[in-house]
């Protein structure tokens, strides 16, 4: 379960740059596992900041962000690494999400070493299975990020996230750059996997239709806070 | 960022640079092997570096020059006096360092200015040649590469052989008339123009590609008119600040060239001071060089600030 | 030096040959053997580049001088590169107080003429190769650090670096495996130019009597030692001078070539940092 | 030409700056002006600091006592002197001498000048230990010492004790910038920015009137530049051009001459205790391994001479019968063998330890680095491996280990008395004796001679010390120091005075243009 308690975030104003700029204030939000939520909002409202808070990439100025009961901020070393596996991320620009100087295969195989996912001899099989699941050919692995199409790399980005078997997946405008038919196919794939694994999904988007179609509940991010979008709530789960 | 803030930060940095440079030199002169009192005793008082002095005289010297105080205190004392224009007494000559430095500012300033102006003139000529005379590009590029590649002390030796001894046109060394500056300034200018030419050519190419230049061409303006009215003007502007920033590099050359030509300037003073472990003279020379370079950097930054709006927001570091 | 239209690669081969052939020959000869009977012998079949005031073979001294000058310069450039990239990346990636301190130190170091700084350092230390390497590395790393820091600051916010953190990579792994390979390539041109400049500075220090000390064969020191014999034996000064010139020219051209490859945008960064 | 508006102010500034520079120094009648170069910067004119220049070269001031070319004493501003007590000497001044400002030379003026010199340069009072200088009569000066001293008149020869009038212009700190002396030339102007000193003949000089009316001195510290300058023709007289240039300059028609001075190149051992040099055979072996003639001929291009004892033949206090140690590689090898240093693969080894040392020297005297390099080669021939290292002379003592050597150039007569060199180097408490040579016989001889009255007895004692040093080789003397002088053909009448620290111009010079 992801829990935000009284979370506030402001960016520093610089040495001579005046007062700090608040982005979020006093946000309380609970995201249980196994459910699919949407987050809507105009650009600049703090959607990406929320994603970074949840992913532990940014520390809140006030309050706490906890994953499975653990505060991001208190974690170090192996515990932190294990915690990282719990929440994975598919960003908006997948072509920028891979190191341009590493082959895609190298980028994927690094994960095994990083988390010691499975014994060496089973790694290739596991990687193959992950690619199969998102419908990609293994030949892709010898290429570099700029040598593949947007749809392919977005799938690969998804495969990378799923390989770590997270409890949560955050999609940050993950399909916004793709054309509609591919967009729908990827969303369907995500929902299938989420259902199979009982994984929670947060879909950050500015596409209200997509949110409606895919999510059990939709929130908006406005006025430095998170609000339930009325009329679309199916059921607010208990904290 | 406002201009006041920008100036404030840059001035602070300049002051810090001067303090850093002198403090570093101060520490170095004291860490150096060889007892400071011994050096002063044999070189200043006995006048013969190989002749050791009496033990009892060492104490006299140490007390007179404040050498038995803690290092930090000695530096503060030095800085306090330096701010009031008192740089102590030269170990080599026994004369006030401030007077000696003052006498040596002129030749260095003349040398730096003359060589920079000459380098810019050569640059202008070469750049114009590339534009106006066909098939000169290769020769100009080769000249620029040669310019940045030739060791200045070597070039100086060759020029003396040719122009002083071979052709008997110019003096070998010393100061006293404008003729003494011709060769040293020429050596420095020949070492600098390659940098300016490369910078200018790059800047010209950028200007060439600008929309207004293309527009001017499309309007049917003759090529030399386009060059003069649109390309040149816009190409010079970004180069100007770098000329000011070149001063730090120039100083390295000045040190070597003044030594080579026995020109009584600041650079030669600095090296002479090192030769005989003349700490007061060295510190003063370093302080003045640091001030010089800081002022030049500040000027360069202000020019950039005035000419390039992007800098106003980044503040250049 | 991007204005280069010379056919750079072929030119480099020619210059490199002129430099390396005498060096290769000279390495088989004795650079320190003193034979006062041979003092100041002019270039001849026995001594292709002549003999110096101690009767030592100038060809051999040029060759061993090449080993000293280029070896030291490579060491200095490598050390500057490692230090500059390391500190620059750390500053750019970590930010905060460390970055603030780094910026101040860099600003202080660029504001001092590097040769002057090196001259002062050399004068007060044991004038051996280690001191020389330190004296030239101390100001040398800054230009790499400036570039690396700027690139690292930009890369820090890059999506693929964020993703590395998301999948659980630690800071050290991110720096070494992901930032360094993306920071190094544009520095190659800078390093080539720096190598040439370093040979020039090593020689200049030698000429001022503050570099490697005789009887070590070093090009700048050879020119200094040859000054008293400028008349009787001009080849003593001319030969090492030509080799410094040649070395610097090769690396200037190489730098131009590498810079042209690194692309227009990065060229401007390099000039600003240099 | 680029017509950038940015450049115009720059050009104007350069033009203004170059116009502000003084035009070529307009010397008086060039036919009557000697243009001389000195090897040091002319950056101080205080006799108490730069006496060597102001007295010996510029001839502006004079000392109470002077020395003849054989280093024996002769009257200067003092016509005579005598020992008037155990620790007291009295000097009687020459009559009718006036300073350049017309005031007479009196005992008061001398005492004031010497007292001022003691303040500026305190070491003048401690070498030897002077107690006080007082007025004993209108033309009589009394000097008392802390201990009985036979060499006091010799110390009065020191250039830094030369007499300047109280009217000499000084800085706020009391440094003289315009010395008023009694010498054959007076200061006309000191143009520091041009590094030149302009001198004019003193027509009221008490001694022989010089022939040349004006002298312009320029400081040119770089030897190569001095050589270039005389070839270019901008100076008439230069000392110490690069040694290798001399023959070429002679061929071109210049008068080029080599002279030996009272300075010696000396190879010192780090310590005579706890090192290979504790064994005198090793010291002798090293001395025999050195080809002194080749060093003088080939390395120094004939400058100087192979050294026997510390004092050259022309010096009155050189002991007779001391020979230059023979160059004998076989003997050197045999001595090392006897001392237990056995050759193994080119390097001698004793008790498993190879004979590998560092040979330190410093670059300020141009002869030292090449001599060190030559010594390295000569030592290698007998199996001693020496690495040459150049350091500042002040830094060498701290870097040196007992087994290391250093090559230095020592003055042997800062004032013309044998005590100066012999005590510093061979007395167990000598200021230079860092290698720890201690011979009770030598100490006794030196201490007795320092206070003795009888010149013959002193001479005998000092001769004996020189013979013992030659026998013991506590340090190895390599060669005497040479200086060269190059003059245009028009300069006539130059006589080298070996008493000079570098050279003296003398009043006998003429110009025949």
């Amino acid at each position: 379960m992801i829990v935000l308690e009284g979370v506030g975030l402001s960016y520093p104003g610089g040495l001579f740059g005046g007062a700090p700029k608040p982005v979020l204030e006093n946000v309380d939000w609970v995201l249980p596992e196994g459910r699919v939520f949407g987050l809507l909002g105009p650009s600049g409202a703090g959607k990406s900041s929320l994603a970074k808070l949840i992913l532990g990439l940014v520390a809140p100025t006030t309050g706490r962000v906890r994953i499975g009961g653990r505060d991001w901020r208190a974690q170090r070393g192996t515990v932190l690494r294990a915690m990282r596996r719990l929440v994975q991320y598919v960003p908006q620009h997948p072509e920028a999400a891979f190191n341009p100087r590493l082959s895609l295969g190298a980028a994927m195989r690094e994960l095994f070493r990083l988390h010691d996912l499975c014994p060496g001899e089973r790694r290739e099989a596991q990687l193959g299975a992950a690619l199969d699941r998102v419908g990609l050919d293994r030949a892709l692995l010898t290429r570099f990020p700029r040598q593949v199409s947007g749809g392919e790399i977005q799938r690969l980005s998804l495969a990378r996230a799923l390989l770590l078997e997270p409890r949560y997946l955050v999609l940050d405008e993950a399909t916004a750059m793709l054309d509609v038919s591919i967009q729908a196919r990827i969303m369907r794939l995500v929902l299938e996997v989420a259902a199979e694994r009982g994984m929670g999904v947060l879909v950050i988007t500015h596409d209200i239709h997509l949110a409606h179609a895919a999510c059990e509940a939709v929130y908006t991010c406005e006025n430095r806070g998170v609000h339930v979008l009325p009329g679309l709530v199916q059921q607010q789960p208990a904290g | 960022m406002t201009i006041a803030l920008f100036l404030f930060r840059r001035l602070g940095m300049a002051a810090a640079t001067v303090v850093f440079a002198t403090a570093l030199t101060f520490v170095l002169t004291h860490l150096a092997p060889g007892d400071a009192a011994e050096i002063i005793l044999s070189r200043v008082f006995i006048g013969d570096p190989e002749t050791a002095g009496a033990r009892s005289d060492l104490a006299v010297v140490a007390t007179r020059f404040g050498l038995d105080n803690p290092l930090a205190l000695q530096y503060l004392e030095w800085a306090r006096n330096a701010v009031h224009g008192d740089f102590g007494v030269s170990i080599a000559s026994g004369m006030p360092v401030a007077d000696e430095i003052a006498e040596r500012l002129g030749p260095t300033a003349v040398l730096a200015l003359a060589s920079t102006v000459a380098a810019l003139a050569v640059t202008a000529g070469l750049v114009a040649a590339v534009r106006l005379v066909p098939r000169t590009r290769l020769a100009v590029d080769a000249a620029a590469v040669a310019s940045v590649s030739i060791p200045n002390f070597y070039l100086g030796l060759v020029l003396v052989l040719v122009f002083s001894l071979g052709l008997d046109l110019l003096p070998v060394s010393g100061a006293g008339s404008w003729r003494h500056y011709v060769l040293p300034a020429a050596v420095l200018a020949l070492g600098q123009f390659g940098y300016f030419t490369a910078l200018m050519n790059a800047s010209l190419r950028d200007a060439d590609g600008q929309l207004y230049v293309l527009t001017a061409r499309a309007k049917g303006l003759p090529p030399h008119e386009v060059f003069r009215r649109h390309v040149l003007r816009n190409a010079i502007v970004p180069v100007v600040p770098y000329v000011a920033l070149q001063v730090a590099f120039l100083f390295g050359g000045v040190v070597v060239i003044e030594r080579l030509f026995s020109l009584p300037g600041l650079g030669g003073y600095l090296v002479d001071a090192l030769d005989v472990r003349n700490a007061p003279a060295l510190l003063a020379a370093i302080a003045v060089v640091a001030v010089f370079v800081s002022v030049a950097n500040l000027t360069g930054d202000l020019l950039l600030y005035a000419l390039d709006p992007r800098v106003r927001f980044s503040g250049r570091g | 030096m991007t204005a280069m239209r010379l056919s750079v690669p072929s030119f480099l081969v020619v210059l490199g040959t002129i430099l390396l052939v005498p060096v290769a020959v000279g390495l088989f000869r004795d650079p320190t053997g003193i034979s006062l009977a041979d003092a100041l012998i002019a270039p001849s079949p026995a001594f292709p580049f002549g003999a110096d005031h101690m009767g030592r073979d100038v060809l051999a001294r040029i060759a061993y001088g090449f080993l000293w000058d280029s070896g030291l310069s490579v060491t200095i450039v490598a050390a500057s590169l490692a230090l500059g990239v390391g500190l620059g990346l750390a500053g750019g990636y970590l930010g905060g107080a460390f970055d603030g301190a780094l910026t101040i130190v860099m600003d202080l170091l660029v504001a001092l003429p590097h040769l002057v700084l090196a001259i002062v350092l050399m004068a007060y230390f044991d004038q051996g190769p280690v001191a020389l390497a330190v004296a030239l590395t101390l100001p040398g790393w800054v230009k790499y650090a400036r570039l690396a820091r700027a690139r690292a600051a930009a890369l820090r916010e890059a999506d693929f670096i964020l993703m590395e953190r998301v999948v659980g990579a630690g800071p050290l792994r991110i720096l070494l495996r992901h930032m360094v390979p993306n920071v190094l390539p544009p520095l190659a041109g800078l390093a080539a130019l720096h190598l040439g400049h370093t040979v020039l500075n090593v020689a200049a220090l030698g000429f001022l009597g503050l570099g490697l000390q005789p009887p070590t064969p070093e090009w700048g020191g050879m020119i200094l030692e040859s000054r008293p014999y400028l008349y009787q034996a001009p080849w003593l000064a001319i030969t090492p001078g030509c080799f410094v010139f040649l070395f610097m020219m090769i690396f200037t051209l190489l730098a131009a070539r590498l810079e042209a490859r690194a692309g227009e945008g990065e060229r401007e960064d390099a000039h600003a940092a240099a | 030409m680029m017509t950038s508006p940015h450049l115009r102010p720059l050009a104007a500034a350069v033009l203004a700056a170059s116009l502000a520079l003084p035009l070529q120094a307009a010397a008086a009648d060039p036919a009557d002006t000697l243009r001389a170069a000195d090897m040091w910067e002319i950056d101080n004119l205080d006799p108490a600091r730069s006496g060597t220049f102001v007295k010996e070269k510029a001839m502006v001031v004079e000392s109470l006592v002077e020395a003849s070319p054989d280093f024996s004493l002769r009257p200067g501003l003092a016509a005579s002197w005598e020992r008037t007590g155990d620790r007291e000497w009295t000097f009687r001044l020459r009559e009718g001498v006036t300073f350049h400002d017309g005031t007479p030379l009196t005992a008061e003026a001398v005492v004031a000048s010497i007292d001022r010199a003691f303040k500026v340069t305190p070491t003048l009072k401690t070498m030897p230990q002077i107690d006080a200088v007082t007025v004993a009569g209108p033309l009589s000066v009394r000097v008392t010492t802390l201990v009985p001293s036979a060499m006091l008149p010799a110390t009065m020869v020191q250039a830094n004790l030369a007499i300047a009038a109280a009217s000499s212009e000084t800085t706020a700190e009391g440094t003289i910038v315009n010395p008023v002396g009694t010498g054959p030339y007076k200061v006309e102007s000191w143009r520091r920015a041009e590094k030149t000193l302009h001198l004019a003949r003193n027509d009221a000089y008490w001694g022989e009137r010089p022939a040349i009316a004006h002298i312009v001195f320029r400081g040119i510290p770089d030897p190569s530049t001095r050589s270039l300058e005389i070839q270019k023709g901008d100076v008439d007289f230069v000392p110490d051009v690069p040694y290798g240039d001399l023959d070429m300059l002679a061929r071109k028609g210049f008068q080029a001459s080599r002279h030996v001075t009272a300075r010696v190149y000396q190879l010192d051992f780090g310590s005579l205790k706890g090192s290979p040099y504790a064994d005198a055979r090793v010291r002798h072996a090293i001395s025999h391994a050195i080809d002194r003639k080749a060093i003088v001929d080939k390395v120094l291009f004939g400058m100087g001479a192979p050294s026997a004892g510390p004092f050259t033949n022309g010096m009155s206090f050189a002991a007779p019968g001391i020979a230059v140690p023979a160059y004998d590689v076989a003997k050197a090898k045999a001595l090392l063998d006897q001392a237990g240093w056995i050759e193994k693969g080119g390097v001698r080894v004793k008790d498993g330890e190879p004979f590998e040392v560092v040979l330190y020297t410093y670059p300020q005297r141009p002869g030292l680095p090449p001599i060190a390099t030559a010594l390295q080669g000569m030592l290698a021939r007998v199996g001693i491996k020496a690495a040459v290292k150049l350091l500042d002379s002040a830094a060498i003592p701290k870097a040196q280990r007992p087994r290391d050597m250093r090559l230095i150039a020592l003055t042997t007569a800062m004032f013309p008395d044998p005590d100066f060199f012999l005590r510093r180097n061979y007395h167990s408490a000598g200021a230079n004796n860092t290698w720890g040579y201690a011979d009770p016989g030598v100490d006794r001889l030196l201490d007795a001679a320092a206070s003795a009255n009888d010149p013959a007895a002193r001479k005998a004692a000092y001769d004996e010390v020189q013979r013992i040093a030659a026998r013991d080789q506590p340090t190895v003397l390599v060669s005497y120091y040479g200086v060269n002088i190059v003059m245009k053909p028009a300069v006539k009448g130059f006589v080298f005075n070996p008493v000079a620290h570098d050279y003296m111009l003398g009043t006998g010079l003429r110009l025949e243009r």
Side-chain angles (χ1 to χ4, degrees), chain B residues 265-284:
Chain B
L266 204 55
Y269 191 67
L270 196 152
V271 185
D272 289 347
L274 283 172
D275 272 355
V276 294
R277 299 293 183 273
N278 187 349
L282 177 68
L283 272 167

Side-chain angles (χ1 to χ4, degrees), chain B residues 129-198:
Chain B
V130 168
R131 291 281 155 165
L132 304 175
V133 187
R135 298 179 193 287
T136 46
R137 168 130 236 165
L138 188 74
V140 168
D141 283 349
V145 172
S147 159
V148 298
S149 303
I150 197 156
N152 50 16
F153 50 92
Y154 178 58
L155 185 62
L157 284 178
V158 173
L159 291 189
V160 166
L161 274 177
V162 174
F163 288 96
S164 298
L165 294 159
L167 301 174
D168 196 18
L169 287 175
L170 294 162
V172 168
S173 75
S177 82
W178 63 271
R179 296 167 66 242
H180 289 99
Y181 289 86
V182 175
L183 285 182
V187 173
L188 287 176
L190 288 174
Q192 268 184 300
F193 83 83
Y195 174 78
F196 291 149
T197 305

